[in-house]
């Protein structure tokens, strides 16, 4: 095996009636050198370090013959970043979704490529523009440019992401309300983006009242009535 790779081991039980069956998930697996690698309850061997170890399977008082597993240490030479269902170029413009699903592939010195997405550490250069979680899922917060970096040990890879998601429409809630003088109502502005995602943009829009003599709206969407005679229209605009 190569370092950090896995292999399914199979334990076959032989019975006195001449039949046999796969009992890999019903035996007790052991590795005599666990620092080299270990076997889980399903019989999957995972390599940890270079060296050799003898693996056995036990069912009751019956123990299998030992199987020697040799692990060859490999060097991780580079990481390659790709994205699910997309061709990732550098820089990449994200305009149709608030999510981007990254994949980090580790390239070893023997030509082996291993998915390192969950093993890597992920970061963005500006969390106010976009964040990224431990599974490589980027979430856009606002338009702008960030650098996404994936790192495994001393090996890293980066890509620049330009976020340019367009606002399609704005919905204000509540749609209608009745107030008396000095009463207040909290309005909320929801923005529908080009990927149909709805986000709260209450504090990032410009609020207006018409006519302004009947009340005002704070930059957080809180309306305070000044005059109860007649109707007032509340509106919200963003990016002009």
């Amino acid at each position: 095996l190569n370092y950090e790779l896995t292999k399914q081991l199979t334990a076959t039980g032989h019975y006195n009636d001449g039949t046999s069956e796969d009992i890999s998930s019903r035996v007790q697996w052991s590795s005599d050198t666990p620092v080299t690698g270990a076997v889980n309850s399903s019989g999957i061997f995972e390599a940890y370090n270079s060296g050799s170890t003898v693996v056995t399977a036990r069912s009751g008082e019956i123990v299998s013959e030992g199987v020697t597993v040799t692990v060859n240490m490999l060097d991780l030479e580079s990481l390659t970043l790709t994205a699910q269902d997309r061709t990732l170029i550098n820089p990449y413009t994200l305009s149709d979704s608030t999510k981007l699903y990254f994949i980090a592939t580790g390239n070893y010195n023997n030509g082996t490529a291993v998915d390192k997405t969950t093993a890597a550490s992920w970061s963005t250069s500006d969390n106010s523009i976009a964040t990224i979680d431990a599974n490589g899922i980027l979430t856009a917060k606002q338009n702008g440019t960030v650098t996404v970096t994936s790192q495994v040990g001393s090996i890293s890879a980066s890509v620049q992401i330009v976020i340019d998601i367009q606002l399609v429409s704005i919905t204000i809630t509540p749609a209608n309300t009745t107030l008396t003088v000095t009463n207040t109502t909290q309005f909320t502005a929801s923005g529908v983006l080009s990927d149909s995602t709805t986000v709260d943009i209450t504090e990032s829009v410009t609020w207006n009242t018409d006519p302004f003599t009947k009340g005002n709206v704070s930059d957080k969407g809180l309306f305070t009535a000044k005059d109860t005679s007649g109707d007032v229209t509340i509106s919200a605009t963003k990016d002009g």
Side-chain angles (χ1 to χ4, degrees):
L1 288 179
N2 293 320
Y3 176 58
E4 291 191 324
L5 296 184
T6 61
K7 186 175 183 64
Q8 176 69 59
L9 302 181
T10 301
T12 301
H14 303 281
Y15 299 94
N16 57 6
D17 63 353
T19 61
S20 60
E21 66 173 333
D22 184 347
I23 57 172
S24 302
S25 61
R26 305 203 305 270
V27 298
Q28 180 181 352
W29 293 93
S30 65
S31 168
D32 70 351
T33 312
V35 69
T36 299
V39 189
N40 69 15
S41 60
S42 298
I44 298 176
F45 180 92
E46 182 174 2
Y48 297 146
N49 292 286
S50 61
S52 295
T53 184
V54 176
V55 174
T56 57
R58 173 186 291 271
S59 177
E61 298 299 319
I62 300 175
V63 181
S64 71
E65 293 183 356
V67 174
T68 300
V69 179
T70 301
V71 177
N72 298 315
M73 176 67 82
L74 297 178
D75 292 326
L76 181 63
E77 293 187 327
S78 65
L79 286 176
T80 301
L81 297 185
T82 55
Q84 290 183 14
D85 305 319
R86 294 172 184 266
T87 300
L88 191 64
I89 59 175
N90 192 8
Y92 180 81
T93 299
L94 180 64
S95 61
D96 62 347
S97 177
T98 57
K99 300 285 187 181
L100 190 58
Y101 299 84
F102 281 96
I103 300 169
T105 302
N107 305 301
Y108 287 88
N109 60 347
N110 72 337
T112 303
V114 179
D115 188 343
K116 308 294 288 185
T117 304
T118 57
S121 61
W122 296 89
S123 63
T124 68
S125 57
D126 191 337
N127 285 335
S128 69
I129 295 176
T131 59
I132 191 165
D133 68 13
N135 295 312
I137 302 174
L138 180 136
T139 302
K141 300 296 185 181
Q142 61 178 321
N143 288 346
T145 301
V146 294
T147 299
V148 173
T149 300
S150 177
Q151 184 161 351
V152 176
S154 61
I155 306 299
S156 64
S158 298
V159 61
Q160 191 176 73
I161 304 297
V162 179
I163 299 170
D164 185 23
I165 300 173
Q166 301 303 311
L167 186 66
V168 175
S169 63
I170 298 174
T171 300
I172 297 175
T173 53
N176 297 286
T177 188
T178 300
L179 295 175
T180 58
V181 177
T182 72
N183 277 181
T184 62
T185 290
Q186 177 64 55
F187 286 95
T188 300
S190 298
V192 178
L193 306 181
S194 52
D195 67 343
S196 299
T197 301
T198 300
V199 293
D200 185 350
I201 55 173
T202 301
E203 297 185 18
S204 62
V205 297
T206 300
W207 292 94
N208 297 286
T209 59
D210 182 24
F212 69 88
T213 55
K214 294 185 179 299
N216 56 59
V217 187
S218 73
D219 56 4
K220 297 183 183 299
L222 183 65
F223 175 80
T224 302
K226 293 181 179 179
D227 185 347
T228 58
S229 58
D231 296 333
V232 58
T233 300
I234 310 296
S235 61
T237 59
K238 184 174 174 59
D239 298 330

